[in-house]
Amino acid sequence: MAIDERFEDLEPRKAKPAPKDLTVMGVAEIEAYIATLEAEITRARAAIAAKQAQKSAAEAFFKKG
């Protein structure tokens, strides 16, 4: 394993991408963009729910002991 692979997590996070220029997009393009964003929001919420369920399961497991 290369050193770079082991310390990958230590690199600073990338800057937030600039917002899209909506003025150059047509209505259909903006609607498609919104649909893409909504799908990503749904995916992010599912990831949050999964992590919360894992945390709750771990807390319940260790409380039984």
Side-chain angles (χ1 to χ4, degrees), residues 29-47:
E29 290 173 303
I30 295 172
E31 288 174 342
Y33 178 58
I34 290 171
T36 300
L37 293 174
E38 288 173 339
E40 186 64 10
I41 290 168
T42 300
R43 189 176 76 87
R45 287 188 173 142

Side-chain angles (χ1 to χ4, degrees), residues 6-48:
R6 287 185 286 158
F7 296 108
E8 187 176 286
D9 291 341
L10 298 178
E11 293 181 19
R13 294 184 180 217
K14 294 181 182 178
K16 187 168 46 168
K20 283 195 176 215
D21 183 4
L22 303 178
T23 60
V24 298
M25 299 171 75
V27 173
E29 290 173 303
I30 295 172
E31 288 174 342
Y33 178 58
I34 290 171
T36 300
L37 293 174
E38 288 173 339
E40 186 64 10
I41 290 168
T42 300
R43 189 176 76 87
R45 287 188 173 142
I48 289 170

